């Protein structure tokens, strides 16, 4: 897997271990690195050539260069240029301008999007901390009262652009004109040493954009690299700044963090650095409290859910973001469900109330679009419907659009130690059985557990005596269990 890196290091050793102070950029010619044009997205290469042809500089930068050198498949291809977003937009008819905090251009080729940004100067560095919300260099830049950069559209040259990037290994530029790599901040050396090093002063860089703390953890989880000491040092103390990040941005970050294929490592790191509580406050409090029941061990359950997601990603299967969120919030739902029932609420309304409460609390930290919260509720609901299989119910449940997700979720509960009397196995057999086998399976539960889950026999209503002149009102009871 790491052949790319080894090759690069062997060829470029003299560049990577400078005896004296290094001057940047280090330019590594094609012959000395492993990144070949064949590895690149043809569409990204097309964008680079078109920009060059129009007279602009253009480089590949960020994750695509970094990941290739490390020997892993990059997720996407980012281009950076000295053309302004408007100029880029004018060159590509298949493009659109996006972003406000950070203006850029998306060039679309079918399903592939090549993101093109303009060289930026690190505007916040020149800013005066005592005067937030000031406009810089007469251009489009602004900071919040907490020093967070709200808009960053001050353009600069490539050196400035490199300096305002987050980590040294993200400031490597690939030049398609001569196939060289330009290293502005020592990223190659850090890749060789498997280190994540922030560019500039860590505190200042986290203050400008607290999401960089999450990105540091994301790369540590994804790449298995270590955080260099100064990069790691302020994180715990500055983690609270995440409270000032819009929930919609944090929602996206969580998906990237836990959907990288190394969700378990990332989850541990997020907790270790005190960041998890700003993403999932309820879940974190519950994990800290040590709350556990026979039917749920929160930590074991979350780890099992993350393991399932990691396995799916690593074997090239798709994962649904709502499933991940449903896993992370389930322990809190279970806790609230128990509390509402203890207050006398019947099981199903208590579940719905618990789901509402947990989701309401969660959206203050990370937004959850309705298209995700609806299937999350359905998955949770399924956990109480899947045990009820008598009569036609099993056949109906099988047709439910969320059956598969609900069933997978149930398996995770079982794998994490919850004893559901072989329910997962029953459903496994039922899904794959012939009609006769399915009927036998239903019979088997009908005879065993009718008392437990069978339909309640309605008692014939007693007619009110017509001549009753008693003024007693009929008493309503909550003893009838709510039936979905
Ligand atoms: P991946 O795409 O694999 O998740 P990436 O490093 O490419 O990783 P992107 O979010 O695509 O991440 O960003 C592209 C590049 O933009 C980064 O490599 C980095 O140079 C720069 N960048 C992104 N986010 C920030 C940030 N918050 N602060 C500074 N630079 C950033
Ligand atoms: Mg990227």
């Amino acid at each position: 897997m790491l052949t790319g890196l080894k090759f690069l290091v062997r060829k470029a050793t003299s560049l990577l271990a400078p005896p004296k102070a290094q001057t940047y950029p280090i330019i590594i010619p094609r012959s000395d690195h492993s990144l070949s044009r064949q590895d690149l997205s043809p569409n990204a290469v097309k964008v680079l050539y078109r920009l060059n042809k129009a007279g602009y500089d253009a480089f590949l930068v960020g994750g695509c260069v970094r990941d290739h050198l490390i020997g892993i498949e990059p997720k996407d291809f980012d281009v950076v240029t000295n053309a302004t977003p408007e100029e880029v937009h004018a060159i590509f008819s298949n493009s659109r301008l996006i972003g406000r905090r950070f203006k850029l251009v998306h060039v679309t080729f079918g399903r592939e999007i090549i993101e093109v940004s303009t060289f930026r100067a690190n505007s916040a560095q020149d800013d005066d901390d005592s005067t937030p919300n000031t406009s810089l260099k007469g251009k489009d830049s602004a900071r919040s009262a907490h020093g967070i950069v709200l808009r960053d559209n001050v353009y600069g040259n490539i050196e400035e652009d490199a300096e305002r990037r987050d980590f040294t290994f993200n400031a490597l530029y690939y030049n398609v004109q001569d196939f060289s790599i330009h290293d502005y901040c020592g990223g190659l050396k850090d890749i060789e040493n498997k280190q994540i090093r922030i560019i500039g002063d860590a505190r200042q860089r986290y203050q400008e954009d607290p999401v960089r703390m999450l990105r540091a953890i994301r790369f540590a989880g994804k790449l298995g690299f270590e955080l260099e000491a100064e990069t790691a040092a302020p994180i715990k103390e500055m983690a609270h700044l995440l409270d000032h990040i819009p929930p919609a941005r944090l929602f996206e970050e969580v998906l990237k963090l836990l959907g990288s294929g190394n969700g378990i490592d990332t989850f541990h790191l997020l907790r270790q650095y005190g960041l998890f509580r700003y993403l999932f406050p309820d879940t974190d409090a519950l994990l800290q409290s040590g709350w556990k029941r026979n039917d749920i061990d929160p930590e074991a359950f979350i780890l099992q859910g993350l393991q399932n997601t990691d396995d799916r990603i690593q074997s090239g299967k798709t994962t649904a973001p709502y499933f991940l969120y449903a896993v992370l919030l389930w322990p809190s739902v279970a806790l609230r469900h128990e509390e509402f029932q203890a207050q006398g609420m019947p099981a199903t309304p208590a579940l719905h109330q618990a789901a509402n409460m947990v989701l309401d609390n969660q959206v203050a930290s990370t937004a959850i679009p309705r298209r995700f919260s609806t299937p999350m509720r359905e998955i949770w609901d399924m956990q109480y419907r899947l045990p009820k299989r008598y009569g036609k119910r099993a056949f109906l449940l099988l047709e439910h659009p969320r059956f598969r997700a609900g069933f997978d979720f149930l398996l995770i509960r079982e794998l994490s130690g919850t004893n559901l009397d072989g329910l997962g196995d029953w459903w496994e057999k039922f899904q794959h059985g012939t009609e006769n086998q399915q009927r036998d399976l239903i019979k088997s539960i009908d005879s065993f557990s009718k008392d437990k889950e069978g339909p309640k026999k309605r008692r014939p209503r007693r007619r009110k005596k017509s001549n009753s002149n008693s003024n007693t009102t009929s008493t309503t009871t909550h003893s009838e269990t709510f039936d979905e």
Side-chain angles (χ1 to χ4, degrees):
M1 211 43 181
L2 295 180
T3 47
L5 171 62
K6 280 186 199 136
F7 180 66
L8 179 137
V9 170
R10 195 187 65 232
K11 289 280 202 168
T13 310
S14 56
L15 297 165
L16 294 173
K20 14 184 175 22
Q22 180 62 55
T23 48
Y24 293 113
I26 306 170
I27 297 181
I28 301 111
R30 169 65 191 102
S31 53
D32 290 357
H33 68 74
S34 60
L35 210 165
S36 130
R37 208 176 44 159
Q38 268 72 53
D39 297 333
L40 308 175
S41 145
N43 292 325
V45 174
K46 234 182 265 174
V47 170
L48 292 170
Y49 280 135
R50 283 274 292 282
L51 285 165
N52 287 160
K53 217 171 137 203
Y56 298 107
D57 295 336
F59 299 85
L60 279 180
V61 69
C64 57
V65 182
R66 176 197 70 221
D67 288 354
H68 259 308
L69 294 175
I70 292 171
I72 56 180
E73 191 78 21
K75 204 166 66 42
D76 50 29
F77 288 84
D78 299 311
V79 169
V80 68
T81 175
N82 58 353
T84 63
E86 290 74 16
E87 286 166 339
V88 176
H89 183 47
I91 294 175
F92 298 97
S93 55
N94 52 331
S95 72
R96 60 194 185 100
L97 276 163
I98 63 153
R100 181 177 135 77
R101 195 179 70 86
F102 201 90
K103 252 195 230 166
L104 39 84
V105 179
H106 276 176
V107 187
T108 18
F109 299 88
R111 292 177 58 131
E112 188 178 20
I113 294 176
I114 306 296
E115 201 163 277
V116 185
S117 56
T118 303
F119 291 143
R120 275 175 177 72
N122 196 355
S123 55
Q125 247 170 23
D126 311 334
D127 202 357
D128 175 0
D129 272 327
S130 62
T131 54
N133 287 319
T134 49
S135 185
L136 287 163
K137 296 180 184 173
K139 301 261 179 71
D140 187 24
S141 170
R143 291 215 261 167
S144 78
H146 304 283
I148 296 170
V149 176
L150 299 177
R151 278 199 312 283
D152 181 11
N153 290 310
V154 178
Y155 303 125
N157 56 30
I158 189 166
E159 285 83 8
E160 290 170 310
D161 185 83
E163 258 178 50
R164 66 104 212 147
R165 288 186 180 270
D166 46 7
F167 305 103
T168 57
F169 57 28
N170 284 342
L172 298 167
Y173 297 73
Y174 175 80
N175 182 1
V176 77
Q177 287 192 315
D178 63 0
F179 315 119
S180 62
I181 290 176
H182 299 205
D183 176 359
Y184 280 87
C185 302
L188 286 174
K189 190 159 182 278
D190 285 328
I191 288 182
E192 190 196 355
N193 295 330
K194 297 185 181 251
Q195 291 231 311
I196 298 166
R197 184 188 306 272
I198 197 139
I199 297 169
D201 176 68
R203 283 174 185 280
Q204 184 183 340
R205 302 306 310 282
Y206 295 148
Q207 186 83 45
E208 291 163 10
D209 184 4
V211 169
R212 288 176 185 145
M213 296 185 274
L214 294 177
R215 288 176 58 86
I217 299 307
R218 172 149 78 86
F219 295 127
K222 169 175 162 170
L223 307 172
F225 282 22
E226 293 282 322
L227 266 66
E228 167 276 330
E230 285 182 22
T231 304
I235 294 185
K236 269 192 194 162
E237 184 195 317
M238 298 183 82
H240 66 92
L241 287 175
L242 289 176
D243 269 345
H244 306 296
I245 300 298
R249 189 168 173 217
L250 289 186
F251 172 77
E252 295 295 331
E253 283 303 320
V254 165
L255 295 184
K256 290 187 204 162
L257 278 157
L258 299 176
S260 71
N262 288 321
I264 293 209
D265 292 346
T266 310
F267 170 73
H268 288 310
L269 285 165
L270 285 172
R271 292 191 72 200
Q272 183 188 327
Y273 280 93
L275 294 163
F276 187 72
R277 59 185 279 215
Y278 295 99
L279 301 174
F280 291 93
D282 276 6
T283 310
D284 187 73
L286 194 147
L287 292 171
Q288 300 283 0
S289 74
W291 180 86
K292 230 187 243 200
R293 288 290 178 272
N294 275 342
D295 63 347
I296 182 167
D297 174 340
E299 184 152 355
F301 171 76
I302 288 176
L303 289 175
Q304 191 61 54
L306 291 172
Q307 184 67 59
N308 171 277
T309 306
D310 286 353
D311 291 347
R312 288 185 69 91
I313 294 170
Q314 281 165 18
S315 57
K317 292 187 189 153
T318 55
T319 58
Y322 60 77
F323 193 88
L324 194 62
Y325 267 86
V327 165
L328 286 155
L329 296 179
W330 173 246
S332 301
V333 172
L335 168 68
R336 303 283 174 221
H337 189 210
E338 182 185 273
E339 287 172 354
F340 284 127
Q341 283 183 289
Q343 291 164 19
M345 206 183 273
T348 302
L351 177 68
H352 294 163
Q353 190 82 346
N356 286 342
M357 192 175 185
V358 169
L359 286 167
D360 281 352
N361 285 348
Q362 180 60 30
V363 294
S365 307
T366 69
I368 303 182
R370 198 172 291 278
R371 68 179 191 282
F372 294 134
S373 60
T374 303
M376 285 166 69
R377 290 173 195 275
E378 289 171 335
I379 289 177
W380 294 334
D381 249 17
M382 271 283 166
Q383 304 315 301
Y384 293 90
R385 297 176 70 178
L386 288 170
K388 300 176 178 172
R389 295 153 286 168
Y390 53 84
K392 288 205 169 67
R393 286 191 169 214
F395 290 103
L396 291 174
L397 278 175
L398 210 50
E399 299 299 313
H400 193 288
R402 215 58 65 199
F403 169 80
R404 188 71 222 183
F407 169 68
D408 284 346
F409 198 89
L410 183 121
L411 293 183
I412 290 170
R413 291 171 61 210
E414 285 190 332
L415 282 169
S416 69
T418 302
N419 181 359
L420 297 174
D421 287 337
L423 190 57
D425 191 44
W426 189 95
W427 275 108
E428 185 73 55
K429 289 189 184 128
F430 188 79
Q431 287 173 75
H432 302 112
T434 61
E435 222 174 301
N436 280 342
Q437 287 166 332
Q438 288 178 326
R439 293 197 191 289
D440 287 345
L441 280 161
I442 292 174
K443 266 188 218 143
S444 75
I445 51 138
D446 273 355
S447 50
F448 283 121
S449 48
K450 211 157 208 160
D451 288 346
K452 258 200 220 162
E453 59 173 58
K456 299 264 173 311
K457 288 220 175 80
R458 289 197 177 204
R459 269 198 227 133
R461 280 203 187 158
R462 245 189 262 153
R463 281 176 181 272
K464 271 189 187 166
K465 280 180 191 158
S466 54
N467 64 350
S468 163
N469 58 1
S470 84
N471 54 7
T472 51
T473 50
S474 63
T475 49
T476 38
T477 69
H478 286 289
S479 58
E480 299 149 289
T481 45
F482 192 96
D483 211 8
E484 296 117 307

